[in-house]
Amino acid sequence: MQDFTVTPWEVSGAIDYDKLVRQFGTARIEAALRNRMENKCGELHQMLRREFVFSHRDLNLILDDYDKGRGFFLYTGRGPSRGMHIGHLVPLIFTKWLQERFKANLYIEITDDEKFLYRREYSWTDVQKNAQDNILDIAAVGFDPDRTFIFRDSEYVKNVYPLLLRTARKITGSTVKAVFGFDDSTNVGLSFYPAYQVIPSFFEKKRCLIPCAIDQDPYWRVQRDVAEGLGFHKTAAIHTKFLPPLQGVSGKMSSSAGGETAILLTDDEKTVKNKVNRYAFSGGQATVEEHRKLGGNPEVDVSYQWLSILFEPDDARLKQVYDDYRSGKLLTGELKGILIERLNAFLKEHREKRKKAEKEVRRFMYDGKLAKEMWARTYE
Ligand code: TYM
């Protein structure tokens, strides 16, 4: 028995990322590949530098294509739900960085169909409301409006239906059972859905690179089984680890696990402060005296981990926090204070960008250069 689980539907336990790489058949991003990225990009995003972006499929082929002038395109997505949390922004923030560095087109799939099929408590109206709301948060990340197309599955389906059927015809029931753990009680909509999550990787004849957390990788295994038979490239992927929940460094931040484990994008300053102070798992000692004497453990401290993943881009400053916490100079309350300040500054900025996105969102969905091209295009 394994003590952790990672599937597109469930992430729990203390994740052994090396084991996961072996199980999923992906590859670790080794130093040589990181250096290659650095040479091309001028610098590395902190998530790559600190190995939070840790695994890939065929990233080397993407860079080869880029070098040869063939280029590549990016694809990522979101299953809309009530309220996004900062974990959901992690792959999007990294995707934005990739788009800026490589000037690549980006497709963002909003899987209203998937959510409707999976979450029985949602009505269709709920799902559409959530999708609209989530799209604003996604647009607020700041992608290039002429190189980005955000679409809802239910709306774009008319442009892709023949290709979707051609893809579905290649995927058997036994494949989705084996890959996703579906059984005879799974509704047939969900058995069909994986075909749609594959489709955006066929939007261009170039090679596709998918940034996501590693829970989505089973879809790319299916994609890679069928792509060449349909006349497309096997997709490449670049995987992040999971932003941990407040309660401790195992599992992933998830909104369905209850509001206390996650910082939602709508949380106000007071809520953030209370959640972090109350719930953020600490690597500190029981008393101040002991902490001063023995020091804390940043490896298990959620506040430190979040700073490292997202909120402290400066390596020297991060190291200072690490050293001070280890030595006992920095107390748990002080470390939490740093995180609270960063989180609230981040969320304040996000709220402002979201407000602006209300005006810009049509460009991503309908009026921008890429969006217009996509609405004029059909796929067989
Ligand atoms: P969804 O909505 O569950 O998640 C959206 C993206 O966020 C990632 N993610 C996290 N990343 C870091 N830390 C976390 N705690 C965390 N929780 C979620 C997910 O890996 C994902 O990248 N079926 C998909 C929607 C989808 C998609 C895609 C995702 C369609 N096409 C292509 C990625 C790439 C879903 O429900 O994602």
Side-chain angles (χ1 to χ4, degrees):
M1 253 310 266
Q2 174 161 291
D3 43 10
F4 67 91
T5 306
V6 175
T7 73
W9 324 107
E10 189 197 346
V11 176
S12 60
I15 301 158
D16 179 337
Y17 284 103
D18 281 322
K19 208 165 165 187
L20 205 53
V21 161
R22 285 196 301 277
Q23 274 175 7
F24 281 9
T26 69
R28 268 262 177 199
I29 300 178
E30 303 293 356
L33 192 51
R34 255 198 314 281
N35 291 341
R36 206 176 160 199
M37 285 289 280
E38 186 166 10
N39 288 338
K40 243 157 268 309
C41 301
E43 56 167 5
L44 286 181
H45 190 275
Q46 78 203 50
M47 293 186 204
L48 263 171
R49 228 163 48 224
R50 297 175 187 161
E51 299 185 41
F52 183 73
V53 173
F54 76 111
S55 151
H56 76 104
R57 290 182 184 270
D58 286 349
L59 179 59
N60 39 352
L61 297 185
I62 289 284
L63 297 180
D64 290 349
D65 280 5
Y66 184 75
D67 285 345
K68 291 185 183 125
R70 291 194 205 112
F72 65 91
F73 68 100
L74 295 161
Y75 154 45
T76 194
R78 160 82 182 133
S81 66
R82 203 167 294 139
M84 281 173 67
H85 58 64
I86 54 171
H88 292 130
L89 288 188
V90 162
L92 292 167
I93 289 169
F94 182 61
T95 303
K96 178 189 172 202
W97 181 83
L98 288 170
Q99 184 181 50
E100 279 171 2
R101 299 290 145 163
F102 293 100
K103 304 277 175 271
N105 281 347
L106 163 65
Y107 302 89
I108 303 182
E109 178 182 36
I110 306 298
T111 59
D112 52 354
D113 49 351
E114 175 194 23
K115 267 291 135 95
F116 180 73
L117 292 163
Y118 187 64
R119 300 280 289 272
R120 282 170 185 275
E121 70 274 26
Y122 284 153
S123 70
W124 185 248
T125 312
D126 292 336
V127 171
Q128 292 310 311
K129 225 172 106 235
N130 294 340
Q132 228 27 62
D133 173 83
N134 288 189
I135 287 170
L136 283 182
D137 283 317
I138 293 168
V141 173
F143 300 105
D144 179 340
D146 283 321
R147 286 199 180 97
T148 304
F149 179 47
I150 305 180
F151 64 98
R152 270 180 286 133
D153 278 350
S154 64
E155 194 181 8
Y156 199 62
V157 68
K158 61 177 190 284
N159 293 50
V160 298
Y161 200 49
L163 177 60
L164 180 53
L165 293 180
R166 203 151 70 82
T167 305
R169 203 157 66 167
K170 293 252 183 219
I171 303 172
T172 64
S174 57
T175 297
V176 292
K177 276 184 185 169
V179 174
F180 299 102
F182 293 159
D183 59 28
D184 287 346
S185 70
T186 306
N187 70 63
V188 293
L190 269 180
S191 310
F192 176 78
Y193 167 74
Y196 208 154
Q197 186 154 332
V198 162
I199 293 294
S201 70
F202 300 154
F203 277 173
E204 297 187 18
K205 283 289 179 190
K206 295 174 185 172
R207 211 180 287 276
C208 173
L209 175 65
I210 307 176
C212 57
I214 194 153
D215 59 333
Q216 297 298 313
D217 190 74
Y219 288 102
W220 321 141
R221 248 180 288 158
V222 174
Q223 194 279 0
R224 290 167 65 89
D225 277 350
V226 301
E228 288 177 346
L230 291 162
F232 298 97
H233 288 292
K234 287 185 178 182
T235 191
I238 183 160
H239 306 115
T240 71
K241 298 178 184 171
F242 301 103
L243 187 77
L246 279 166
Q247 274 76 353
V249 289
S250 49
K252 70 161 183 174
M253 181 182 280
S254 142
S255 26
S256 46
E260 309 86 56
T261 77
I263 297 290
L264 303 178
L265 299 180
T266 47
D267 284 346
D268 61 21
E269 293 196 359
K270 219 168 121 213
T271 309
V272 168
K273 191 171 170 200
N274 286 342
K275 279 189 182 174
V276 172
N277 280 335
R278 209 148 147 210
Y279 299 114
F281 186 82
S282 143
Q285 306 295 340
T287 64
V288 172
E289 292 69 42
E290 273 180 50
H291 189 86
R292 294 275 188 228
K293 205 161 84 206
L294 303 170
N297 180 4
E299 306 301 337
V300 300
D301 189 283
V302 169
S303 303
Y304 176 81
Q305 292 301 324
W306 286 15
L307 286 175
S308 156
I309 294 163
L310 208 54
F311 298 108
E312 181 48 87
D314 185 313
D315 288 349
R317 278 214 295 262
L318 186 71
K319 184 169 182 307
Q320 193 67 54
V321 171
Y322 186 97
D323 292 345
D324 288 351
Y325 197 58
R326 262 258 175 265
S327 73
K329 188 172 163 208
L330 188 70
L331 299 174
T332 294
E334 292 166 334
L335 178 54
K336 286 189 175 191
I338 299 174
L339 179 68
I340 290 166
E341 198 184 295
R342 293 297 171 89
L343 270 172
N344 278 329
F346 176 87
L347 290 176
K348 181 163 179 273
E349 199 182 325
H350 181 78
R351 277 191 292 272
E352 287 161 10
K353 290 197 208 146
R354 189 185 143 105
K355 194 90 204 106
K356 283 206 198 107
E358 284 173 17
K359 289 197 205 83
E360 281 166 15
V361 72
R362 282 195 61 85
R363 291 182 70 192
F364 293 110
M365 298 183 76
Y366 307 107
D367 304 338
K369 185 165 169 287
L370 183 62
K372 268 197 199 135
E373 279 169 27
M374 290 304 288
W375 283 110
R377 196 174 290 165
T378 52
Y379 291 90
E380 283 181 17

